[in-house]
Amino acid sequence: MEKFLTLNTGNRMPIIGLGTWNAALNKVGAAVEYALLRAGYQHIDCAFVYHNEKEIGQAFRKIFTNDSIKREGIFITSKLWNTFHKRADVLKAYKDTLHDLQLDYLDLYLMHFGIAIGQRGTDDEPLDENSYILLDKTPLQETWGAMEELVKAGLVKQIGVSNFTAPMLLDLLSYANIIPSVNQIELHPYLQQQNLIEFCQHLNIAVTAYSPLGSPGGLKPDEPVLLDDQILQRIANEHSKTPAQILIRWAIERKTIPIPKSTTFERIQSNIEVFDFNLTKENLRGLNRKYRFVNPFDWWNVPYFD
Ligand code: A2P
């Protein structure tokens, strides 16, 4: 099993990354250090809106200044939040993220969602009296154009999108001068999105799988617990692996790039130990429930995925 995917730029992206969404302050820095220095990760996934980039940046500075690991050997992603979609705001948002992460460049900068909302240039997202989010009527074409400028200025290696559906991709491709390198979407056996994956791969857009473990840290009381799934547990027992390892292996066998989040050292370690077995005899297709754990409708009242 290859440990990298080659992107449409010719650069390589490590097939597993450490996710940092909901990674708590006072834990995330140590988790990133452990992942890079001890567990062998070469890929960290960040975002402005996770509100932990400053602490991750302190970890990066420690790691890259003592020279034990070279910056060029690590793939680092961050994401433009939805309140910075105006052309004039994109460069500033990018530079602010670089500053917080204490880096000179990112390997990948993603448009976090294909929607512009909130109080422009801040991360304030006011809801109106009917609980609808304040909309910022900026076309995605403007935002993508500003992201392309980052590439042309040599500030970022790759740009891409996140939470993009097929119609959104098609629209973007109608004007894009730079094809997105990546679309980062929610993927796990309960939300398989096989057609969207194949469509992205057909377009030479690599697919990153977020919440690959079924987002167990943030479940509402009535939500299904993927890690407790009986079929998954049986497969895990048969392979003498944990359910999480089965899910991560399943993601990489689909040629997607899982970014499991953990701040627990043992889990960070075991989540990357997935290269000594395979699932070729297993079929997880029947687990699909088209169930989304991450749905912006819950936050903004916008039926984004409906
Ligand atoms: P923790 O950070 O306390 O280790 P996802 O990436 O699907 O959103 O999942 C992240 C959640 O899964 C976090 O709550 C994380 O908890 C938990 N998690 C990460 N790795 C494992 C694992 N190997 N087994 C069980 N839970 C895990």
Side-chain angles (χ1 to χ4, degrees):
M1 169 62 66
E2 256 292 332
K3 294 193 176 174
F4 294 87
L5 273 188
T6 301
L7 301 174
N8 58 15
T9 52
N11 294 327
R12 297 190 318 159
M13 181 165 178
I15 193 83
I16 298 177
L18 180 74
T20 61
W21 184 37
N22 286 332
L25 295 180
N26 296 319
K27 283 190 174 177
V28 66
V32 167
E33 282 185 50
Y34 183 86
L36 295 180
L37 295 174
R38 309 292 279 277
Y41 284 68
Q42 294 175 287
H43 170 188
I44 308 290
D45 183 85
C46 314
F48 167 83
V49 81
Y50 302 164
H51 295 299
N52 53 15
E53 289 193 323
K54 279 203 166 82
E55 185 173 325
I56 295 172
Q58 285 161 8
F60 284 155
R61 195 186 43 168
K62 252 168 89 181
I63 292 165
F64 296 135
T65 50
N66 81 14
D67 229 25
S68 53
I69 290 185
K70 292 252 181 292
R71 167 69 185 93
E72 309 81 77
I74 307 299
F75 193 102
I76 302 172
T77 302
S78 185
K79 311 185 190 86
L80 175 78
W81 187 239
N82 313 331
T83 51
F84 303 102
H85 270 217
K86 282 262 182 328
R87 179 175 294 278
D89 295 333
V90 173
L91 176 64
K92 181 177 183 308
Y94 182 71
K95 287 195 164 161
D96 286 348
T97 271
L98 279 188
H99 179 262
D100 285 353
L101 291 174
Q102 306 204 32
L103 299 174
D104 300 328
Y105 70 93
L106 289 181
D107 296 277
L108 179 63
Y109 198 44
L110 303 177
M111 194 190 310
H112 206 142
F113 280 88
I115 181 172
I117 55 163
Q119 207 79 58
R120 185 195 152 192
T122 73
D123 60 351
D124 198 13
E125 297 172 23
L127 301 174
D128 70 12
E129 62 281 9
N130 297 314
S131 300
Y132 285 94
I133 188 73
L134 177 72
L135 298 172
D136 163 18
K137 293 171 188 155
T138 306
L140 299 183
Q141 181 168 8
E142 176 177 331
T143 311
W144 188 250
M147 291 178 69
E148 290 177 332
E149 294 299 323
L150 301 177
V151 179
K152 287 183 199 139
L155 296 172
V156 63
K157 302 255 184 211
Q158 275 88 209
I159 52 174
V161 294
S162 180
N163 296 296
F164 264 49
T165 59
M168 294 168 93
L169 282 173
L170 286 172
D171 185 57
L172 184 130
L173 292 177
S174 72
Y175 52 75
N177 294 308
I178 299 176
I179 307 295
S181 290
V182 166
N183 185 17
Q184 181 177 131
I185 55 178
E186 179 180 342
L187 288 174
H188 43 72
Y190 286 172
L191 183 70
Q192 301 199 6
Q193 306 206 72
Q194 185 63 31
N195 294 341
L196 181 55
I197 292 174
E198 286 177 21
F199 188 56
C200 289
Q201 291 171 343
H202 162 71
L203 297 170
N204 209 7
I205 298 171
V207 179
T208 299
Y210 77 71
S211 298
L213 309 180
S215 218
L219 295 180
K220 292 174 222 115
D222 56 343
E223 290 195 295
V225 183
L226 175 59
L227 286 172
D228 291 349
D229 187 279
Q230 296 290 296
I231 294 170
L232 180 66
Q233 296 214 338
R234 176 183 55 73
I235 296 171
N237 288 337
E238 284 169 11
H239 289 269
S240 302
K241 292 285 168 185
T242 65
Q245 287 170 320
I246 300 296
L247 293 169
I248 293 163
R249 177 74 198 188
W250 181 75
I252 64 178
E253 287 191 13
R254 306 174 88 198
K255 299 202 183 325
T256 63
I257 303 161
I259 46 166
K261 170 262 170 181
S262 180
T263 50
T264 313
F265 292 165
E266 304 79 50
R267 289 171 171 174
I268 293 171
Q269 181 70 61
S270 68
N271 287 349
I272 201 168
E273 289 172 353
V274 296
F275 294 99
D276 57 352
F277 72 107
N278 67 64
L279 297 171
T280 45
K281 292 205 183 73
E282 311 292 350
N283 187 347
L284 277 70
R285 288 234 172 169
L287 269 61
N288 198 8
R289 306 180 183 197
K290 301 192 176 178
Y291 188 84
R292 228 172 248 293
F293 291 102
V294 181
N295 196 335
F297 184 71
D298 299 343
W299 318 320
W300 309 323
N301 222 356
V302 175
Y304 184 101
F305 288 115
D306 287 10

